[in-house]
Amino acid sequence: MRFLKKTEPIHILFCISSIVAILIATFFERKLLMYVLPIVIISIGMLYIKYLDKIDYWYLISLTVIIVCDILIYLDFLRYFSIICALISIYFLLCTVVLRKFIALKELHINTLFTVPILVSVCLIAYVIYSILELILHMVSDAIPYVLISIFSLLIYMAVSYFIYITDRYKGGLKLFIVGCLCMFIVSLLSINELLYYNTVFTVLITITHILGFYIFLSFLVETKPEDRIGKHKKYL
C-alpha cells in the first residue's frame, strides 16, 4: 500500500494507534480498546479523505457505525449484543453500497458461480456459521433475529466482494476477497471470545485482523478506480 509508506502526520497517527491497540490487546485490559480503536478508524477515514478526490460518504458513515460498534463490544458485549449485531449489519450493507460502482452484473455467468471451489467454500462457510450458532444461540436467544440479519448482511458483503474478485476486472480484486475472509474470521472469533471462552491470544488476533481488514479495504478504495478495468479473465478460486 504505497500511500501508507509516507511519513506524514496522518500516517504516523494510524501506525502509532494501531501499535498501541495491539499492545493493549496483548498486555492490558481489553476494555481500553474502546478508546484506542476509534482513533485507528478515524485515521483510516482521514487517509481516505486525503487520498481520494471523489469521496463516497457511505464509506465514512460505515466507519462511524463501526466506531460505535467497537465501543459497545468492549464496553459490554453481552448487554449490547442486539445493538452490536444491528450495527454490524449496517456496516456490511454500507460497505456493499460502497462497492456498487465496481460491480458489473453483465459479467455474471452461471459457470463462474457453480464451480467446485465455490461450492466447497459455500459449504465450509455454512458449516462455520452453523457451528458458531449452535454454540452461542442459547446465550443470546432473545437476539436471534439480529443474529440472522447480521449473518445475512455479512454473506451479501462476502458475495459482492467475491464477485468483484472473480470477474477479474480490477488488479486489486484479491484484496476484497481477503477482507471478506478476515471479516468472517473476526465475527466468528469475536463471538467465541466474548461469549464462550475468553483468551488474550484471541483478542490480539481479533485486533490485528480488524485493523488489517480496514487497511486492505482502504488500499482497494484508494488504489483502484472503477474505470481502471483489465481484461476479462475468469477465475475459479
Side-chain angles (χ1 to χ4, degrees):
M1 194 160 159
R2 295 185 298 274
F3 68 95
L4 280 182
K5 293 180 180 179
K6 301 179 181 179
T7 55
E8 298 177 3
I10 303 177
H11 304 85
I12 295 173
L13 175 64
F14 170 76
C15 293
I16 292 178
S17 58
S18 297
I19 293 171
V20 171
I22 295 171
L23 290 176
I24 287 175
T26 307
F27 300 109
F28 300 95
E29 172 61 42
R30 70 183 187 278
K31 283 186 178 294
L32 295 175
L33 288 171
M34 71 185 211
Y35 301 107
V36 181
L37 285 176
I39 299 176
V40 177
I41 299 172
I42 289 172
S43 65
I44 287 288
M46 293 169 67
L47 287 168
Y48 176 77
I49 293 172
K50 179 177 176 62
Y51 288 99
L52 255 76
D53 297 326
K54 191 174 182 180
I55 303 299
D56 190 333
Y57 290 97
W58 291 116
Y59 178 67
L60 297 179
I61 294 173
S62 74
L63 294 181
T64 304
V65 169
I66 208 64
I67 286 174
V68 177
C69 185
D70 281 342
I71 292 173
L72 294 181
I73 285 173
Y74 293 106
L75 187 61
D76 193 326
F77 186 83
L78 188 57
R79 179 180 179 182
Y80 298 108
F81 182 78
S82 296
I83 300 176
I84 290 169
C85 287
L87 291 173
I88 288 175
S89 302
I90 295 172
Y91 172 74
F92 285 127
L93 291 176
L94 287 174
C95 287
T96 302
V97 172
V98 171
L99 294 176
R100 69 192 183 283
K101 59 176 105 35
F102 300 99
I103 301 173
L105 293 178
K106 62 182 180 181
E107 296 184 13
L108 180 62
H109 303 291
I110 297 298
N111 62 334
T112 63
L113 296 178
F114 295 98
T115 61
V116 174
I118 291 180
L119 293 176
V120 171
S121 299
V122 170
C123 291
L124 288 174
I125 291 172
Y127 175 74
V128 170
I129 292 174
Y130 172 78
S131 300
I132 298 298
L133 287 177
E134 191 175 34
L135 290 172
I136 71 171
L137 276 186
H138 69 283
M139 301 183 66
V140 292
S141 56
D142 294 337
I144 291 178
Y146 296 95
V147 173
L148 295 178
I149 292 173
S150 62
I151 292 174
F152 180 69
S153 62
L154 171 60
L155 292 178
I156 290 177
Y157 170 73
M158 292 185 67
V160 170
S161 298
Y162 188 75
F163 171 70
I164 295 172
Y165 163 67
I166 204 171
T167 53
D168 200 18
R169 299 172 71 238
Y170 305 99
K171 292 181 179 179
L174 178 61
K175 295 177 182 178
L176 292 180
F177 178 70
I178 294 173
V179 173
C181 294
L182 290 176
C183 289
M184 187 73 184
F185 174 81
I186 294 169
V187 172
S188 301
L189 192 59
L190 180 64
S191 300
I192 294 173
N193 197 43
E194 296 295 334
L195 295 175
L196 297 173
Y197 174 71
Y198 172 74
N199 190 297
T200 300
V201 175
F202 290 171
T203 302
V204 174
L205 289 175
I206 291 168
T207 303
I208 292 174
T209 51
H210 192 42
I211 295 172
L212 187 61
F214 285 116
Y215 177 98
I216 298 174
F217 191 68
L218 177 64
S219 173
F220 175 82
L221 296 179
V222 171
E223 298 178 356
T224 307
K225 303 294 185 292
E227 61 272 14
D228 295 340
R229 301 176 182 178
I230 58 178
K232 298 180 180 179
H233 305 291
K234 298 180 179 58
K235 296 178 183 176
Y236 299 94
L237 180 59

